[in-house]
Amino acid sequence: MTDPARPSGIDALFDARQAERRAPSVVFATFDHDGVTHHGARGEVAGALPGPHTAYRIASCTKSFTAAALLALRDAGQLVLDAPVTDFVPAFADVALPTGDSPVPTVRMLMTMSGGLPTDDPWGDRQESITDDELDALLRRGLRFDSVPGTTFAYSNLGWALLGRVVASAAGRPYREVVEQTLLGPLGLPSTGFEADVPATGGVAVGHRPVDDGWEPLPFSGPGAFSPIGGLFSTTTDLARWARWLSSAFDPEGRGDVDGVLSRASRREMQQLHRLVPGRGAHPSGYGFGLFVEEYPDFGTVVSHSGGYPGFSAHMRWQTATGLGAVGLENATYAQVAVPVSRALDGMMADTAEARVVVTPWPETLAAMPLVEAVVRGREVPSGLLSENVELDVPLVRRRALWARELEAVGGLLDHDDARDLPAAESATPSHRVWWLPGRRGALRLEVRLTPEDPPRVQTLSVRADTGR
């Protein structure tokens, strides 16, 4: 089987896409904190093989740029995230809310897809070119809500169109100008922009939709009031650069960082799970600010966003712990390029030892282990080992009686030298530790949690027989 972690394996994923005729063309790249590590392309654009400098619509990946612009304005004191949208879009005041006690959606609610508006992908994707006046007229005609604002996730493009207006109102200049001058220019993204004539040296891919056994080209929609939801064009080179800059907020060495654009703290804020998305994917996941956030059990946080527009499919994703990531762009409607991009990153993480979640316990956590073992074996409690709640919660005399039953259940403890194979000690957090002591009929499971004091003390002490060992 081809290893999807290797360049040859990643290439094979996209070879299969072309064999399945998912799109007329695809471009893809992998990266880490230091730069692009591999790129490839399949198919044709204007009769030639596309490449890392060929621009495609990135569709809803644009939302991350809108979010970054909003946070830059917030950090500059020009915007409060908990302000109602009516502060920036006066026409929204004519919208009847779903209940008498509903709050007006705030900027934060809209950024986390919890403004109460219904999911609107097919409709929203066709609204890009409407004017601000037409958007105002739409609001004044009234809106329908799926839920009370601030209570439930629903993917709303209309909400992000409103956020584009928030950017313009707070900045006092057009949304596009804010994105171009605040983000695209300073970050060196020359082939990213809102027009089909974006200066990409590899040309611009035309979008298509499948028709019978072939492809039908689609016209580009022009920039307008809905551009903040998905209007950008970009290349794999620029999109990987964008993703690297976002992920650099988690890199202690700051590789890929650029000073003066948006603080590391604000970029990390974008990549936190602010609103749970029930039932999405195989891992717990939710929405941050313009980005989806997944929690892998073995690899920790993976951040991503897909883009789907008439004629285009886009996806970007990365692991915050290592900066490993991948991007892919295709020029076909509903092509779902997220599938091979996700497989590529999953393979890269599985092949990288540093990508696995490893919690390093505090030195005090490790130092507590032999002291706790000695207490469980019957010795006196060293001064300063246990916090006061331990005795208050369950007096030590009673604890010793309970421990005696657990010790009896495993037939008493063996010396460490006589130990059979036992699970490795593990920590969920630096202040936590679980480990096992060998018994004659199983093992004794010990667990401690330390206090937030400095120096910390043991606040939780659990002892339980594990007779299945």
Side-chain angles (χ1 to χ4, degrees), residues 373 416 422-426 434-438 443-446 464 466 469:
E373 287 181 23
H416 282 283
L422 293 173
E426 58 190 43
V434 174
W435 74 103
W436 286 260
L437 300 178
L444 199 66
R445 179 185 183 277
L446 278 67
R464 178 169 56 83
D466 188 349
R469 300 290 175 186

Side-chain angles (χ1 to χ4, degrees), residues 96-104 148-149:
L97 298 173
T99 65
D101 61 353
S102 291
V104 174
V148 172

Side-chain angles (χ1 to χ4, degrees), residues 369-393:
M369 293 170 63
L371 301 178
V372 166
E373 287 181 23
V375 172
V376 171
R377 291 176 185 269
R379 296 186 182 176
E380 293 297 317
V381 178
S383 176
L385 175 64
L386 305 179
S387 61
E388 61 274 9
N389 70 279
V390 175
E391 178 69 18
L392 293 170
D393 295 340

Side-chain angles (χ1 to χ4, degrees), residues 14 23 25-29 54-59 61 234-237 239 312-316 327-332 337 341:
F14 289 93
S25 71
V26 58
V27 289
F28 54 93
T54 304
Y56 291 65
R57 299 302 290 259
I58 65 170
C61 296
S234 193
T235 65
T236 54
T237 298
L239 195 58
F312 291 94
S313 176
H315 191 72
M316 59 180 185
V327 297
L329 304 170
E330 289 181 329
N331 60 333
V337 74
V341 172

Side-chain angles (χ1 to χ4, degrees), residues 260-311:
V261 181
L262 187 65
S263 72
R264 290 166 60 88
S266 290
R267 277 177 280 148
R268 289 192 294 266
E269 188 179 0
M270 288 178 65
Q271 300 170 73
Q272 302 301 306
L273 195 159
H274 294 297
R275 175 63 66 174
L276 181 68
V277 182
R280 181 183 183 271
H283 316 295
S285 66
Y287 208 71
F289 290 155
L291 293 164
F292 282 98
V293 182
E294 297 176 67
E295 295 298 333
Y296 280 59
D298 296 328
F299 302 116
T301 303
V302 171
V303 178
S304 68
H305 213 291
S306 291
Y309 234 38

Side-chain angles (χ1 to χ4, degrees), residues 118-140:
T119 298
D120 59 0
D121 280 339
W123 172 82
D125 289 345
R126 296 291 185 175
Q127 307 304 311
E128 184 187 359
S129 302
I130 72 170
T131 66
D132 286 349
D133 287 343
E134 289 171 327
L135 177 54
D136 284 346
L138 184 155
L139 298 175
R140 292 189 174 106

